[in-house]
Amino acid sequence: ASKPTSNLRVVVRPGATQPGLPSLEVLIPPPAVGTERTQNFVLPSYRTPVPFMLPVRGLGPSGATQEVPSARVVAQVHLEDATTLPGVRVIYTAQADTDAQGIAKLQLVPAPSGGSNLTYRVSIVSPSRLPYASGSRELQVGPTEGLLAALTLPTRARLIGRLLSATGEAVSGGQVVAQPIAQPQAPTSPLEVVPDQTLPQTTTDSDGRFVLRLDPGDYDLDMIPVLGTGPRTSLDNQRIRDVDVDLGEVRLPRLALAKVLVVGPSLAPAPQVKVRVLELPDTSPRYGLACTLDLPCSKVAKVRAEAFTDSKGRVQFLLPDTGHTISLSIMICLSSARSVSFIAFARRLFRSSIFD
């Protein structure tokens, strides 16, 4: 093994014809070159999963609760017992979506008769269109199937703002998309299932106003005006807690026209080539704002424009004119049968600037 100190994670999952069985996982040191290692797995005492009904409710501002339909619910429990070999984890996973009445119908392994309840970890992803926050809870499951205690989700915080053009006019019909900032984490087990979340987004009204309901976390806000009316930009490193955040007026930067000529190896124009322009993130520490200890720090490049070259290999974009140096990356995507080229460069964009 090239890294003898790095353990291997070995996972055994049930097949599609045996959905009621748990998965097993163990960390083992890699075998040395030319040697073998045997790892045994033993399933715990089998108990057939039975139907349980889990009500999911949302807490409104008035204190009243309502059903939460179309929420994704994932329930997991550890099932290690006396037969489980040292170092092996045994995890059973069940998932379902809530129905129109907010009920998730789950096939769960019940607690042993006469024994202690099983403690499930339940993750719930509320649809982004609803005002109720996603979250995780512990849930006690006994030996008898039936109706479980309801889980109640809190209200999402609102992110409020008004999108204006560089000249101060309201931008209507623009998209505002909240991109969660990935958090650096230690490698997790593939058995720890986290439901996928759709990106929260909305459209500005005739007065440029927008409202997003967001789960607690760190976000980049992508501002995308109607095509051809302004540059795409973003408001990065926004931290959302459990209280509303008012951004006030958010102005789009001025326009800068960028022209690009794409040629092939023989310097002949390259037509119908997709060109994408990305702005590289600014990760320099800004004390009290971003990229310092305990503050968000986005490290994802943002798409600023994309288009295809014309018959003469030319393409032009409307880019944000920030008045200061920004790092851009141009990605040139050829046809699927050919390679993909990346050209990185930095340019200082001044008002009304044009670069070739």
Side-chain angles (χ1 to χ4, degrees):
S2 59
K3 293 183 178 181
T5 59
S6 299
N7 288 331
L8 299 177
R9 192 185 301 272
V10 181
V11 176
V12 179
R13 288 190 175 94
T17 60
Q18 298 173 309
L21 293 178
S23 299
L24 300 98
E25 175 193 64
V26 68
L27 292 176
I28 60 173
V33 175
T35 65
E36 294 182 356
R37 177 186 174 92
T38 300
Q39 175 64 48
N40 295 319
F41 293 91
V42 178
L43 286 171
S45 301
Y46 182 71
R47 295 190 298 278
T48 303
V50 296
F52 285 86
M53 294 183 293
L54 175 62
V56 179
R57 313 282 293 180
L59 182 64
S62 66
T65 60
Q66 292 184 332
E67 300 85 0
V68 180
S70 303
R72 172 53 57 96
V73 179
V74 176
Q76 293 189 297
V77 66
H78 283 262
L79 294 178
E80 294 87 359
D81 63 11
T83 64
T84 304
L85 299 178
V88 176
R89 299 199 318 162
V90 184
I91 299 179
Y92 174 77
T93 302
Q95 50 187 311
D97 292 343
T98 56
D99 58 20
Q101 288 72 46
I103 303 293
K105 298 175 181 176
L106 299 162
Q107 294 288 326
L108 302 181
V109 174
S113 180
S116 302
N117 289 345
L118 292 180
T119 301
Y120 277 77
R121 185 66 177 175
V122 179
S123 298
I124 304 172
V125 173
S126 175
S128 60
R129 70 178 186 276
L130 297 182
Y132 308 116
S134 304
S136 297
R137 305 284 191 279
E138 288 189 349
L139 180 68
Q140 298 296 313
V141 173
T144 306
E145 63 186 82
L147 186 66
L148 297 167
L151 296 183
T152 302
L153 303 179
T155 303
R156 284 179 168 132
R158 297 183 305 161
L159 184 70
I160 306 167
R162 185 174 184 233
L163 188 60
L164 303 178
S165 68
T167 57
E169 298 174 343
V171 176
S172 63
Q175 285 184 287
V176 182
V177 183
Q179 301 270 2
I181 299 175
Q183 301 297 327
Q185 295 177 343
T188 59
S189 165
L191 300 184
E192 295 172 356
V193 179
V194 179
D196 293 333
Q197 294 181 293
T198 57
L199 293 180
Q201 55 185 294
T202 189
T203 303
T204 58
D205 64 16
S206 58
D207 197 33
R209 300 186 185 278
F210 62 88
V211 178
L212 279 171
R213 291 188 176 273
L214 301 175
D215 293 329
D218 298 332
Y219 297 88
D220 291 338
L221 295 181
D222 289 340
M223 311 289 184
I224 309 172
V226 176
L227 185 64
T229 63
R232 298 170 65 155
T233 188
S234 61
L235 194 61
D236 297 340
N237 300 312
Q238 300 298 308
R239 175 156 290 177
I240 303 299
R241 301 293 193 186
D242 54 359
V243 296
D244 294 347
V245 175
D246 190 346
L247 297 174
E249 295 181 346
V250 180
R251 289 206 179 206
L252 294 174
R254 291 179 178 272
L255 291 174
L257 180 64
K259 295 181 178 181
V260 175
L261 174 64
V262 181
V263 297
S266 64
L267 300 184
Q272 294 302 304
V273 172
K274 186 176 183 180
V275 182
R276 177 177 293 171
V277 182
L278 302 99
E279 182 176 353
L280 304 182
D282 178 9
T283 57
S284 57
R286 284 159 286 165
Y287 294 97
L289 295 175
C291 295
T292 59
L293 186 63
D294 297 329
L295 285 177
C297 189
S298 176
K299 299 181 180 179
V300 179
K302 309 297 190 306
V303 175
R304 291 295 176 247
E306 54 186 345
F308 286 89
T309 58
D310 61 16
S311 60
K312 297 182 179 180
R314 300 173 304 188
V315 64
Q316 62 184 26
F317 309 100
L318 295 178
L319 295 178
D321 178 3
T322 62
H324 61 272
T325 301
I326 61 173
S327 297
L328 296 177
S329 171
I330 287 188
M331 182 172 66
I332 300 176
C333 304
L334 306 180
S335 65
S336 59
R338 300 165 69 184
S339 62
V340 178
S341 301
F342 295 85
I343 304 175
F345 64 94
R347 287 290 185 268
R348 179 177 296 274
L349 297 182
F350 295 102
R351 282 168 172 64
S352 303
S353 64
I354 299 177
F355 63 84
D356 296 308

